[in-house]
Amino acid sequence: MSDSWKITLPCTRAEAEAIDPEGEAFAEFGAPPVLMTRELTEDDVEDWVIEAYFQDKPGAREIAVLRRLVPSAAATKAAPERIIEADWVTLSQAGLDPVVAGRFYVHTSANRGKVPPGLRAFHIEAGLAFGTGHHETTTGCLLTLEAMRKRGAVVRNLVDVGTGTGLLAFAGMHLWPNARATASDIDPISIDVTRENAAANGVKLGVGPGQLTLAVAPGMAHDIIERRAPYDLVLANIIAAPLIDLAPVIAAAVAPGGTVVLAGLLERQASAVAQAYRRHGLRLAGKVTLGDWPTLRMVRRAIR
């Protein structure tokens, strides 16, 4: 891996939440950066920061696009900071304790620790794709899947839309080992990361039961994903705006009695997201909230 570059700008919570990785503004980047947003002062909606990681040193054009994403930082100096490879690895692993969510134990190479008996360990490095298990949205999805399995849910066909690292697809395959599984992401880097993570965690790639098929796709717009519908389980840990936009497509791909797990939204966005899926025949059957991040479980009525 070569050195990377970082630009840090202040922003507000509203600006951070409004960033759409599939929007027109983001598409202006020649090579889209990895964006991370976080609050600096707890419960202060004005004191947030955005960190943009670029593979190559960003020029004036990239900086201008980044500024347009966070207008409140218009007067702030944006100086690219070089991150040498060793520093990037240190940065990505620092402070990430193992995560325990139901029967799952998620760790990086720097923090494996001792895996508790009976838990399924997943080795997921922090880096260029979202979904290490350390964010409340991913943890909420893992807990939702665990609860479904305990209630006796049967899943024969699942798809993880916007898979990131592949973690949620891997978890679904562990809970339902004979299921046919598909994982997609609009970002080819995420699919490369998922492929590497599958090898690291003993997840088989392929097209048969108990195997994972990978696809680079915006949402569910891919021949493989469309042919494999309908699904018993759709996982979508993205953000609120695309979740709402994808509601008609996702809902149409859910089998009778099937489940959609939605995450990546804030508590104040939950009602709008749930309503978008209700319009297409699904009902809210469960909700797990961690901090300000809810995970919604929507289901389609079974045929009797």
Side-chain angles (χ1 to χ4, degrees), residues 186-270:
I186 192 172
D187 185 357
I189 292 177
S190 290
I191 295 302
D192 290 340
V193 169
T194 298
R195 185 176 291 106
E196 294 171 0
N197 287 337
N201 289 281
V203 175
K204 295 181 180 179
L205 300 182
V207 297
Q211 298 178 329
L212 178 64
T213 302
L214 303 179
V216 177
M220 300 183 73
H222 194 286
D223 288 346
I224 290 175
I225 299 173
E226 293 169 0
R227 285 200 308 267
R228 290 189 164 191
Y231 294 93
D232 304 309
L233 173 62
V234 179
L235 301 163
N237 181 12
I238 318 176
I239 56 176
L243 285 177
I244 291 173
D245 291 342
L246 287 168
V249 178
I250 288 179
V254 180
T259 298
V260 180
V261 176
L262 304 170
L265 56 143
L266 290 157
E267 181 62 42
R268 63 181 178 80
Q269 300 167 324

Side-chain angles (χ1 to χ4, degrees), residues 28-51:
E28 293 184 45
F29 288 110
V34 175
L35 299 183
M36 299 183 182
T37 60
R38 56 188 173 87
E39 62 179 3
L40 295 180
T41 303
E42 186 175 0
D43 296 329
D44 186 344
V45 298
E46 300 298 319
D47 193 19
W48 280 54
V49 68
I50 181 172
E51 296 168 329

